[in-house]
Amino acid sequence: MIRILGYADRISAAPGECIQVKVSCEGLDQYDADLVRVIHGDINPSGPGYRDAPVPLDLGGPFKGRYQPIHAGSFGVVNAKPLFPAKSSLGLQAFVFPTLPGRGPQTILSRQDPQSGIGFRLYLDPEGAAALEVTAGGEKGGVVATGAPLIAERWYLISGSYDAASGALTVAQKPLKSYPWVNDADRASRTVPVNLAFADVGAPVMIAARQSTDRPATENFNGRIEAPKILSRFLPAEAMESPLDMQCEGLAAAWDFSIGIPTGQITDQSGNGLHGHLVNLPTRGVCGHAWNGDEHCWVKRPGHYAAIHFHDDDLYDCAWETDFEVRLPDDLSSGVYAVRLHGGVEEFYIPFSVRPPRGTTTAPVAFLLPTASYMAYANNRIGLDVPETEIVCGRLIQMSPIDLFMQTHPEIGLCFYDLHNDGSGVFYSSRLRPIVNMQPGHIGHLGGVGSNLWQFNADTHILGWLEHLDQPFDVIADEDLESEGSGILEGYRAVITGTHPEYYSVGMLDSLQSYLDDGGRLMYLGGNGFYWRVSFHPELPGVIECRKSEDGIRAYAPRPGEFYASFTGEYTGLWRRNGRPPNALAGIGMVSQGFDRSSPYVMKEASRDPRAAFVFEGVEGPVIGDYGLSGGGAAGLELDATDHSLGTPPHTLVLASSERHSDLYLMTPEDMDDPAPGLGGSEAEIIRAEMVFFETPGGGAVFSTGSIAWCGSLSHANYENDVARITTNVLRRFLDEKPFTPAPG
Amino acid sequence: MSRYRITQDDLRHAAEFRADPLGMPSPGLQRVLNLLRGGPKSGKYVLVVAEPFRRWILGRLPAERGQPVELLDGMEFTDLAEAEWAVFKLRWKAHTGKDLEQEL
């Protein structure tokens, strides 16, 4: 049981700036907090062990522990003025595409006082049938339901009406496509008291949820809702079962979700100004009922993208109150830090980077902290939800206390490797929530036999190595790279990546490419980098979008017609499908993954090229890295190799390569146009990590290892080994101002 | 999901696994492992970490998000290879009805 959780309002800050820390405790009355510099988060007794450095800074504790809830589930809110007279008739209508009908009551459109129940709601009842409730308090009112469950993933026009004069309460569901023998069209009516006073309610109109007494919303809808409308008069059922015209008399509200797709706002087109906002980022830029394949980009035909996909497990911002603020000392050196919350035996880390003071560099080398990739894997449930994980890891999955917590607390939200409860892919991932798998000391699932680290904690292998070298370094987070552009890298002689910088925005990629074009030196010390295109939200902080269009190794495929990011309108998917293959930047690109054992590299002929002599000074070879904490070898987990057809520079030197992997390593879908036998690591030659070096036209250079596991071998024999020697050789030469001689020609 | 069914010929693969549960399997053993390690999430064996890198308790995954992992009494390990072999035997019996220790 994890009794203390927290998150911060930012993931990167400069000295002198403030970070707001939000904490929730369960069964813990008091806790304390301190600031630590993260050095080596790997607790494997076979390695150097855990190491951090306390920062002498009083954060103001001890603090009183309090519980702050997480309310997952997306919905729309319209803080509406009175819509119509209290004793009015009523009409409600929406296109609906349910994805989990029958999974409890799910609201389509509501305005209901949570205490008294006064108001109305159009919803799917627990059986998944359309239902309408109108209540004026006490026993006055009633419910009518069709009794016919909707079929999942089919479009319906749902309508409901109340005739104040006759007391007729009617609800109907009309499928947009009918099938023989399938009876999912239905209408039901009953009579309730006339002139019910239900409309003058001090509650907001809510879309895809209804208000609750103990949380912001309940009975969330799973699926798509399009063009919800409210009518302040009665129309006969036949009229309600056709789309209402915008000129319809008595139209009180008519929301058009095709307007403002990148935003969190919803727009009322009735003329009554009943605009609203969305909570917890339901998915926008998705196909509506009218989509017919003529256009695949919502920017060009928004009318075909007038639906919003709501999920009962969407989560953007926990919106916890701040418990304390940390003002970073003016002289705090750049690095990776964490606020450590602790009480009794409980502790929880909230990591962030401290960048150098704005406009300055304080070290010759920058470590790019891949925070976009950390968000992409935030609270990843792959070991919990995906039964094949044991097969691809080649061993039993281990459940840490963090995993057990995630299993019983799914409300902490999902990431790009998870599916929503309705089976749809997760497009948005936020850091404004506790991220339980982004902590020093964390043990992952995919990190191979040994330490089994992934992303943040695996990257502390690099921090530990830099600290071992006493090498001064600055830390630049992905969000810094995105927001400030290439200027933030100016002044660094070398830039080092993390072990798995997989998720890149166009801004980040442009910044890094520009740095290289200007003579920078890049040490890509990982695997499967620069793979997926992501989009930062132009206004909302701390959230990215990724749609894994076309192909690539992915947990889901987006539906046809939904390959464009809602945040920005960018085409999504692999960077190699967007004209920017990682090979062009780093010389190599993703070719395979497997999560059992890693392999060594073997030096290739090009390792003897004078251009690369500096790399192998003091290295015996030819076998490199048949040891390590990440799978027992330096080449493993996810592998990159050269491909000249994908932009590997022609003068690239392949210095070393792994030669054999287990058959848990398989080719990537994007390389497997025509599957044939022999796709595994023991047979397919494409499955290899290639260590490469090349010079850039601006006098700089690139060194890439092509393996996530590489940095897990750095600390072997107290950093006295060929992997550490090669990496250090490259760093020393890259820090030397002397330009690299461009390749001949 | 694998359609493969274990036969007597796979006893040699079981012996291979017993000799090195965390090694690089032969193609024949890998085919057996794909079957034994496959199957749905519900009831899947996992190792619950009691002490990191030192002690584990066998558990089973629940069917749904939100439900707790079930801990299996008396199934505690201090060696990962032993845990792998124990689960291999449990799954072998579930698929074949036979006790692997007696067969080998």
Side-chain angles (χ1 to χ4, degrees):
Chain A
M1 180 66 187
I2 306 296
R3 297 187 185 279
I4 188 165
L5 292 169
Y7 66 95
D9 64 330
R10 52 203 301 190
I11 202 163
S12 169
E17 295 179 349
C18 291
I19 292 180
Q20 295 183 343
V21 180
K22 297 129 192 308
V23 181
S24 176
C25 296
E26 249 186 302
L28 201 61
D29 296 333
Q30 183 175 293
Y31 68 93
D32 213 332
D34 44 38
L35 184 64
V36 298
R37 181 180 172 97
V38 178
I39 296 175
H40 192 265
D42 187 350
I43 61 173
N44 186 348
S46 301
Y50 183 85
R51 196 173 153 221
D52 64 25
V55 176
L57 181 68
D58 184 359
L59 302 190
F63 302 97
K64 186 179 178 186
R66 60 170 170 175
Y67 175 67
Q68 301 207 67
I70 298 173
H71 297 302
S74 58
F75 54 94
V77 183
V78 181
N79 291 313
K81 56 192 178 186
L83 293 172
F84 33 69
K87 295 182 179 179
S88 172
S89 292
L90 171 72
L92 303 168
Q93 187 186 77
F95 289 103
V96 162
F97 181 87
T99 50
L100 279 175
R103 185 181 160 113
Q106 297 179 42
T107 313
I108 299 167
L109 189 56
S110 71
R111 189 180 194 189
Q112 204 163 26
D113 183 290
Q115 297 280 359
S116 65
I118 295 174
F120 62 83
R121 62 172 169 142
L122 182 66
Y123 65 107
L124 302 186
D125 69 10
E127 285 70 46
L132 174 63
E133 179 182 33
V134 175
T135 304
E139 299 297 314
K140 293 180 182 173
V143 177
V144 63
T146 65
L150 272 62
I151 299 173
E153 314 224 345
R154 298 285 182 274
W155 278 105
Y156 293 84
L157 184 64
I158 306 292
S159 59
S161 63
Y162 168 67
D163 182 2
S166 68
L169 190 67
T170 303
V171 69
Q173 58 194 56
K174 182 179 175 184
L176 300 197
K177 187 173 182 182
S178 299
Y179 303 89
W181 314 112
V182 178
N183 300 314
D184 57 340
D186 208 348
R187 180 199 301 165
S189 294
R190 61 173 290 199
T191 302
V192 297
V194 298
N195 291 322
L196 287 172
F198 64 87
D200 189 12
V201 178
V205 173
M206 297 183 71
I207 298 165
R210 68 172 178 142
Q211 212 173 27
S212 168
T213 53
D214 61 349
R215 51 184 295 150
T218 189
E219 297 180 5
N220 297 73
F221 189 77
N222 284 289
R224 298 180 180 192
I225 297 175
E226 178 177 352
K229 295 182 175 71
I230 300 177
L231 202 60
S232 62
R233 70 186 183 99
F234 174 73
L235 275 181
E238 293 74 15
M240 289 300 296
E241 289 169 28
S242 294
L244 291 172
D245 191 272
M246 289 301 291
Q247 276 69 49
C248 177
E249 184 188 341
L251 197 61
W255 291 280
D256 183 349
F257 297 157
S258 74
I259 299 170
I261 286 175
T263 75
Q265 310 302 314
I266 51 176
T267 302
D268 171 29
Q269 291 288 76
S270 72
N272 294 324
L274 296 175
H275 310 306
H277 67 277
L278 298 167
V279 176
N280 277 335
L281 279 178
T283 309
R284 302 191 77 167
V286 296
C287 297
H289 79 279
W291 187 77
N292 59 7
D294 282 355
E295 179 55 57
H296 287 247
C297 177
W298 62 263
V299 176
K300 294 179 181 170
R301 194 173 296 180
H304 280 192
Y305 293 85
I308 295 178
H309 196 137
F310 297 90
H311 305 91
D312 64 4
D313 52 9
D314 280 325
L315 179 65
Y316 164 51
D317 185 353
C318 289
W320 286 355
E321 292 179 24
T322 298
D323 287 81
F324 61 92
E325 197 170 82
V326 180
R327 186 187 180 280
L328 300 175
D330 293 335
D331 59 352
L332 191 64
S333 59
S334 181
V336 177
Y337 291 82
V339 170
R340 184 175 75 103
L341 309 171
H342 55 99
V345 298
E346 300 287 333
E347 63 178 14
F348 188 87
Y349 291 82
I350 305 172
F352 57 93
S353 58
V354 173
R355 50 177 289 175
R358 293 180 190 278
T360 70
T361 60
T362 55
V365 58
F367 174 58
L368 293 181
L369 192 71
T371 51
S373 295
Y374 300 162
M375 286 163 65
Y377 283 91
N379 299 337
N380 176 19
R381 303 179 57 87
I382 194 168
L384 305 171
D385 286 355
V386 183
E388 294 80 14
T389 304
E390 183 186 345
I391 297 182
V392 301
C393 290
R395 63 191 183 282
L396 287 161
I397 297 302
Q398 295 187 30
M399 296 280 129
S400 69
I402 290 289
D403 297 315
L404 299 179
F405 177 84
M406 280 201 291
Q407 176 56 32
T408 51
H409 292 77
E411 70 273 12
I412 60 172
L414 305 169
C415 71
F416 299 149
Y417 292 83
D418 302 321
L419 301 178
H420 286 290
N421 286 328
D422 68 1
S424 59
V426 176
F427 290 174
Y428 309 135
S429 187
S430 143
R431 58 169 174 73
L432 297 177
R433 54 177 170 146
I435 301 180
V436 297
N437 63 347
M438 190 180 78
Q439 297 190 73
H442 181 257
I443 299 171
H445 295 131
L446 304 176
V449 172
S451 296
N452 203 1
L453 307 189
W454 200 251
Q455 285 292 356
F456 176 81
N457 208 20
D459 288 344
T460 70
H461 284 153
I462 300 173
L463 303 178
W465 165 69
L466 289 167
E467 297 274 355
H468 177 80
L469 293 178
D470 284 328
Q471 172 63 52
F473 63 96
D474 286 350
V475 175
I476 304 295
D478 282 351
E479 288 193 21
D480 301 322
L481 205 55
E482 165 74 9
S483 62
E484 297 190 31
S486 61
I488 199 167
L489 298 181
E490 282 176 12
Y492 292 110
R493 290 181 201 154
V495 161
I496 298 174
T497 72
T499 58
H500 190 20
E502 183 177 3
Y503 290 81
Y504 256 67
S505 69
V506 67
M508 290 162 56
L509 203 55
D510 285 348
S511 298
L512 198 50
Q513 186 66 60
S514 175
Y515 167 75
L516 280 177
D517 292 345
D518 290 342
R521 290 98 190 260
L522 174 66
M523 294 177 69
Y524 167 36
L525 298 185
N528 191 8
F530 323 106
Y531 190 63
W532 293 112
R533 182 174 189 162
V534 295
S535 313
F536 285 83
H537 196 284
E539 293 170 3
L540 297 175
V543 63
I544 55 174
E545 177 173 7
C546 181
R547 302 193 183 199
K548 301 189 171 180
S549 62
E550 293 197 30
D551 55 14
I553 296 180
R554 53 189 177 167
Y556 64 88
R559 293 172 188 270
E562 299 179 3
F563 289 4
Y564 287 82
S566 65
F567 286 0
T568 58
E570 295 170 278
Y571 188 70
T572 63
L574 298 174
W575 272 114
R576 71 184 264 179
R577 302 292 192 215
N578 278 270
R580 307 277 298 268
N583 311 64
L585 178 86
I588 51 179
M590 168 73 161
V591 292
S592 182
Q593 66 179 27
F595 305 103
D596 54 344
R597 289 204 164 272
S598 303
S599 302
Y601 292 75
V602 178
M603 289 167 63
K604 311 296 279 188
E605 187 178 345
S607 66
R608 292 190 285 275
D609 190 299
R611 287 163 51 203
F614 69 94
V615 176
F616 295 100
E617 282 175 17
V619 174
E620 290 185 12
V623 174
I624 297 165
D626 52 351
Y627 43 78
L629 300 171
S630 299
L637 308 181
E638 298 190 17
L639 312 176
D640 296 351
T642 54
D643 186 333
H644 291 278
S645 73
L646 289 174
T648 295
H651 62 299
T652 299
L653 297 177
V654 179
L655 306 175
S657 173
S658 60
E659 296 188 341
R660 185 168 184 267
H661 294 272
S662 78
D663 283 325
L664 298 182
Y665 284 75
L666 293 165
M667 288 176 62
T668 61
E670 61 269 29
D671 277 326
M672 205 159 49
D673 293 330
D674 187 10
L679 304 175
S682 68
E683 295 179 82
E685 284 194 341
I686 192 175
I687 295 176
R688 67 202 189 280
E690 286 187 331
M691 180 198 304
V692 302
F693 168 77
F694 63 92
E695 304 87 344
T696 61
V702 174
F703 171 80
S704 300
T705 64
S707 159
I708 290 179
W710 176 265
C711 295
S713 301
L714 286 168
S715 65
H716 180 72
N718 195 30
Y719 297 94
E720 291 295 324
N721 65 78
D722 283 346
V723 169
R725 208 161 284 125
I726 287 169
T727 317
T728 306
N729 287 343
V730 173
L731 176 63
R732 297 285 183 245
R733 173 62 186 89
F734 277 23
L735 293 182
D736 185 340
E737 288 183 358
K738 180 182 162 192
F740 287 90
T741 304
Chain B
M1 296 286 283
S2 172
R3 66 154 61 101
Y4 186 70
R5 294 294 172 263
I6 290 171
T7 68
Q8 282 296 108
D9 188 48
D10 289 314
L11 284 172
R12 61 195 171 103
H13 298 130
E16 177 192 345
F17 187 82
R18 181 174 61 178
D20 188 4
L22 294 169
M24 195 176 285
S26 67
L29 173 56
Q30 186 63 58
R31 187 168 56 182
V32 173
L33 290 170
N34 293 344
L35 173 69
L36 298 185
R37 289 172 170 164
K41 176 177 82 169
S42 179
K44 196 171 194 70
Y45 290 110
V46 293
L47 289 178
V48 176
V49 178
E51 293 176 64
F53 298 98
R54 288 185 179 84
R55 192 164 63 88
W56 300 267
I57 300 168
L58 195 62
R60 301 189 85 159
L61 287 179
E64 301 289 336
R65 289 176 179 171
Q67 298 172 338
V69 174
E70 176 194 5
L71 294 179
L72 301 179
D73 289 338
M75 299 291 280
E76 190 170 314
F77 303 93
T78 56
D79 182 278
L80 287 175
E82 282 180 17
E84 291 286 347
W85 176 235
V87 172
F88 188 95
K89 289 186 291 185
L90 287 170
R91 289 171 169 165
W92 182 282
K93 186 158 190 177
H95 277 270
T96 66
K98 295 176 181 174
D99 189 330
L100 191 50
E101 291 281 14
Q102 292 177 1
E103 289 207 283
L104 285 176

